[in-house]
Amino acid sequence: MQLSFLRPLYDRPGPWCSVYLDASRDTHDARPQVDLRWRALKGDLIGQGADPVTIEAVEEVVRRHQPMPGDYGIAVFATRGRVVLTEYLSAPPLRDLATWSALPHTMPLVAQRGEQIAWVRVLADRTGADAVAVSAGGVPRRATVKGRESRQLRRVQPGGWSQSRYQRAAMEAWHHNAGDVAAATAELADRVGADVVVVAGDVRATGMIAAQLPERWQDMLVRTDAGARDPIGADDTLMDDITVQTIAEAADQRIATALERFGVQEDVGAGLDAVVSALQRNQVDTMLIVDDASANGELWIGPEPTEIATDPGQLRDMSVGDPQKVRADAALLRALVGTDAELTVLAPEEAPELTDGVGAVLRYVDASTPGRGNG
């Protein structure tokens, strides 16, 4: 998981209000329910000593929010009277939560987001296609390709010259339309950095489009004849299910790859001490962490992302004058963002033996790397 979307939170000093709120619309009028939830969280923030101007900034976001149908949540991060980031959650948070702390409490957000897969979905027929693409950050892009019209085949005497001529013209039009769709699909895929390209609809059209996609997208391509562009009576549920399944499989594969890379290191980078040491040295490519909502460990930090340690003496040795004690996951995430490293969040059953529930795939390993030895 790329964490660049969190960078604005670490470009500013704290302390931070971090709020996770169930914004689900359970009844026709959900406003009173959201207000009650927020009132409880506001009391928590006041009790933790949050400054009034920052609480007011968060409250304005909550008050302006118009509840939508369905179950979902919102996360709001603010400091010094300014809301810096607001994120919708695809499901309600495990519990409503508000914290006032030196670093933003972002672990619940990244755990719920999971692996972000960029994808393109194309719904095609022989006259063109509708396409939607979503980046890893969830930004949607859309495109419609209208093809050139082809004359309908008309009934002629068997063997007449008109039949083959019109059939040839139709095939040329279909092929041209497929080429336009393939070019538009490749452009969208390039723009979002797609991990998956799903081409659905008319079986002949999808075949022509697939054949004309650039080679770099062939390995990411999934074809299906589910779905239709005709809005009247069309049922795209199956096509959507296939897209969701394909995206989920891509996410699972990414996690499996991270675990495999970690295993190849033979315990180098395993455990909290080793991960912290690697972060100090800008050595982490991808950190693995088990999703544990009950985790409450702490680490020490200085002003810079790589100033992270398991005890304050380590930071004083690094000439950090006034180390701060913060949540361990908050310190780890700040260090990942500050060193352009990635994160893989694991379910407990995916890594039952991961030391301390954390590990790291390293960018490089040398003799001084903990666990490698000095030989």
Side-chain angles (χ1 to χ4, degrees):
M1 181 194 313
Q2 294 182 345
L3 299 173
S4 56
F5 73 100
L6 293 177
R7 193 172 301 281
L9 300 181
Y10 302 108
D11 288 341
R12 296 169 173 80
W16 287 87
C17 273
S18 305
V19 172
Y20 294 86
L21 176 66
D22 182 351
S24 302
R25 180 172 168 176
D26 301 323
T27 64
H28 178 69
D29 185 6
R31 182 78 262 168
Q33 298 175 39
V34 173
D35 288 345
L36 282 173
R37 293 167 185 153
W38 163 244
R39 196 174 305 161
L41 294 178
K42 182 177 180 180
D44 290 345
L45 290 171
I46 292 172
Q48 294 174 53
D51 70 68
V53 68
T54 303
I55 295 176
E56 289 173 8
V58 176
E59 183 166 30
E60 184 178 355
V61 170
V62 174
R63 299 289 187 195
R64 285 203 318 260
H65 172 69
Q66 295 299 318
M68 301 177 292
D71 294 334
Y72 68 101
I74 55 175
V76 185
F77 303 90
T79 183
R80 302 176 183 242
R82 179 181 178 185
V83 172
V84 179
L85 180 66
T86 301
E87 286 273 325
Y88 281 96
L89 308 174
S90 59
L94 294 177
R95 63 184 179 90
D96 290 342
L97 177 67
T99 64
W100 174 250
S101 52
L103 294 179
H105 184 26
T106 53
M107 189 63 207
L109 173 60
V110 298
Q112 185 160 330
R113 280 172 67 103
E115 291 296 326
Q116 297 293 292
I117 302 298
W119 53 272
V120 176
R121 188 187 67 194
V122 180
L123 187 55
D125 58 24
R126 301 176 194 182
T127 65
D130 299 313
V132 59
V134 176
S135 70
V139 179
R141 302 177 186 272
R142 296 182 181 274
T144 297
V145 180
K146 295 182 179 180
R148 61 173 65 170
E149 294 184 1
S150 61
R151 298 183 183 181
Q152 297 296 319
L153 294 180
R154 64 182 185 184
R155 302 182 70 87
V156 297
Q157 185 177 358
W161 65 269
S162 296
Q163 180 174 356
S164 60
R165 178 164 62 88
Y166 283 117
Q167 185 171 3
R168 206 165 42 243
M171 289 299 295
E172 288 174 357
W174 295 344
H175 192 272
H176 180 275
N177 293 344
D180 288 346
V181 172
T185 300
E187 181 181 356
L188 277 175
D190 283 331
R191 288 169 67 184
V192 302
D195 301 291
V196 172
V197 177
V198 178
V199 180
D202 179 272
V203 63
R204 181 173 292 186
T206 61
M208 290 182 174
I209 293 167
Q212 296 183 72
L213 274 176
E215 185 176 352
R216 65 184 180 279
W217 299 115
Q218 294 292 334
D219 290 342
M220 303 176 188
L221 176 66
V222 175
R223 283 180 57 197
T224 170
D225 59 0
R229 294 184 72 205
D230 182 3
I232 301 175
D235 182 5
D236 295 338
T237 304
L238 180 59
M239 191 265 295
D240 288 339
D241 287 347
I242 290 172
T243 303
V244 170
Q245 179 182 346
T246 302
I247 293 168
E249 290 172 352
D252 289 345
Q253 181 57 50
R254 187 177 292 175
I255 292 172
T257 299
L259 284 168
E260 182 179 355
R261 292 176 62 200
F262 177 71
V264 168
Q265 293 177 168
E266 299 179 351
D267 294 331
V268 174
L272 184 61
D273 288 341
V275 171
V276 167
S277 177
L279 287 169
Q280 292 172 353
R281 291 142 48 99
N282 195 1
Q283 200 175 2
V284 175
D285 177 87
T286 302
M287 189 181 84
L288 292 76
I289 190 168
V290 174
D291 182 15
D292 181 3
S294 66
N296 58 3
E298 295 177 315
L299 289 171
W300 294 84
I301 62 168
E304 298 300 321
T306 55
E307 294 172 349
I308 179 173
T310 55
D311 70 73
Q314 293 178 1
L315 291 181
R316 294 192 183 99
D317 291 342
M318 298 163 61
S319 301
V320 176
D322 187 20
Q324 287 183 284
K325 184 187 286 188
V326 298
R327 286 185 61 99
D329 52 24
L332 292 169
L333 287 172
R334 183 189 73 149
L336 293 177
V337 173
T339 57
D340 292 319
E342 297 192 8
L343 176 70
T344 295
V345 179
L346 304 170
E349 62 273 14
E350 290 177 310
E353 299 179 1
L354 189 63
T355 304
D356 301 327
V358 67
V361 177
L362 304 183
R363 290 171 173 149
Y364 65 91
V365 174
D366 58 24
S368 62
T369 301
R372 173 69 181 268
N374 299 313

